[in-house]
Amino acid sequence: DTEVTQTPKHLVMGMTNKKSLKCEQHMGHRAMYWYKQKAKKPPELMFVYSYEKLSINESVPSRFSPECPNSSLLNLHLHALQPEDSALYLCASSQIRGTEAFFGQGTRLTVV
Amino acid sequence: AQSVTQPDIHITVSEGASLELRCNYSYGATPYLFWYVQSPGQGLQLLLKYFSGDTLVQGIKGFEAEFKRSQSSFNLRKPSVHWSDAAEYFCAVALNTGGFKTIFGAGTRLFVKA
């Protein structure tokens, strides 16, 4: 199994809603990542988890709250988002000393 | 800091013609190098990667890339483009420091004309 699975594929939420994005992998990878991709832009790193601990936060606003409950699962909790947060959110995973990150298909988020 | 430059925002080629997409990187050592393709509304698909060994790398869908250390380049090539190759192409570098931090270039949009 070389897949990273993200759910949901699409999400529409209001600015006062709380929602969560989910990412799962069963490749035994101990590093997991969240990226944000705006339209016509490259993906930008948001968070890195290594051994279920947050190791990199790229100055992401606190309305985005990541969580890594176990080595296979990565969540991104969303609260009080703004319309400009609408984007494709990509999850990825890798071995800690790996040579490649595996990306999921993304969640298309629209904030209304 | 490491960075990736894709000098061409978009390129148009005729179907059946050859293709070369340019990528330059700035890094203190030889990084891990990648090319990804992304169709509209889709996730990223890895075309090929390089981290050591033979500097000419073969990938999927008939793509290849050549690493040139002296030029800090990792250009993507395909001898004959198909209409289905129209997509966004991202060059990326990665640093492995207890996690794999991938940095993407701005991307090159490929248009294929009949």
Side-chain angles (χ1 to χ4, degrees):
Chain A
D1 184 1
T2 58
E3 278 195 355
V4 176
T5 303
Q6 290 187 243
T7 55
K9 288 188 171 23
H10 300 275
L11 178 63
V12 179
M13 61 183 290
M15 289 188 285
T16 59
N17 292 159
K18 287 185 180 180
K19 296 287 184 183
S20 297
L21 309 185
K22 179 180 173 182
C23 174
E24 196 163 9
Q25 56 88 16
H26 296 286
M27 294 177 277
H29 292 167
R30 301 302 297 275
M32 296 186 77
Y33 315 81
W34 281 114
Y35 285 81
K36 175 181 178 178
Q37 186 179 22
K38 299 281 285 182
K40 301 187 188 303
K41 295 291 186 182
E44 294 182 336
L45 183 66
M46 301 174 71
F47 302 104
V48 179
Y49 272 83
S50 299
Y51 297 111
E52 296 85 66
K53 299 244 184 301
L54 183 64
S55 59
I56 296 176
N57 176 343
E58 294 284 348
S59 303
V60 179
S62 59
R63 58 185 183 270
F64 295 91
S65 175
E67 178 196 22
C68 191
N70 60 57
S71 60
S72 299
L73 192 58
L74 183 67
N75 298 320
L76 185 62
H77 303 297
L78 313 172
H79 173 56
L81 294 194
Q82 302 297 309
E84 59 264 29
D85 296 321
S86 298
L88 180 68
Y89 288 84
L90 294 163
C91 174
S93 71
S94 76
Q95 296 176 4
I96 292 293
R97 292 293 171 193
T99 59
E100 172 185 347
F102 293 78
F103 284 84
Q105 289 299 301
T107 294
R108 175 75 58 187
L109 174 68
T110 303
V111 182
V112 297
Chain B
Q2 59 270 30
S3 65
V4 185
T5 302
Q6 292 180 249
D8 303 306
I9 296 173
H10 55 79
I11 283 181
T12 301
V13 299
S14 298
E15 191 169 17
S18 63
L19 170 70
E20 182 169 28
L21 301 182
R22 296 182 291 165
C23 174
N24 292 95
Y25 67 90
S26 171
Y27 193 58
T30 301
Y32 298 97
L33 295 161
F34 307 86
W35 276 99
Y36 288 90
V37 62
Q38 186 176 39
S39 297
Q42 301 296 311
L44 296 167
Q45 183 178 24
L46 179 67
L47 289 175
L48 44 78
K49 62 181 179 180
Y50 173 82
F51 52 93
S52 66
D54 192 345
T55 56
L56 186 62
V57 182
Q58 301 298 320
I60 62 171
K61 303 185 177 186
F63 285 92
E64 67 178 26
E66 185 171 14
F67 169 64
K68 292 185 177 180
R69 185 190 307 273
S70 61
Q71 298 175 19
S72 297
S73 68
F74 189 57
N75 294 347
L76 182 72
R77 300 194 294 249
K78 186 170 185 178
S80 177
V81 168
H82 188 262
W83 64 266
S84 60
D85 293 324
E88 188 85 24
Y89 290 80
F90 292 101
C91 181
V93 301
L95 170 65
N96 195 325
T97 54
F100 210 69
K101 184 174 178 179
T102 306
I103 297 171
F104 292 85
T108 298
R109 166 72 68 177
L110 174 64
F111 297 94
V112 180
K113 61 182 180 181

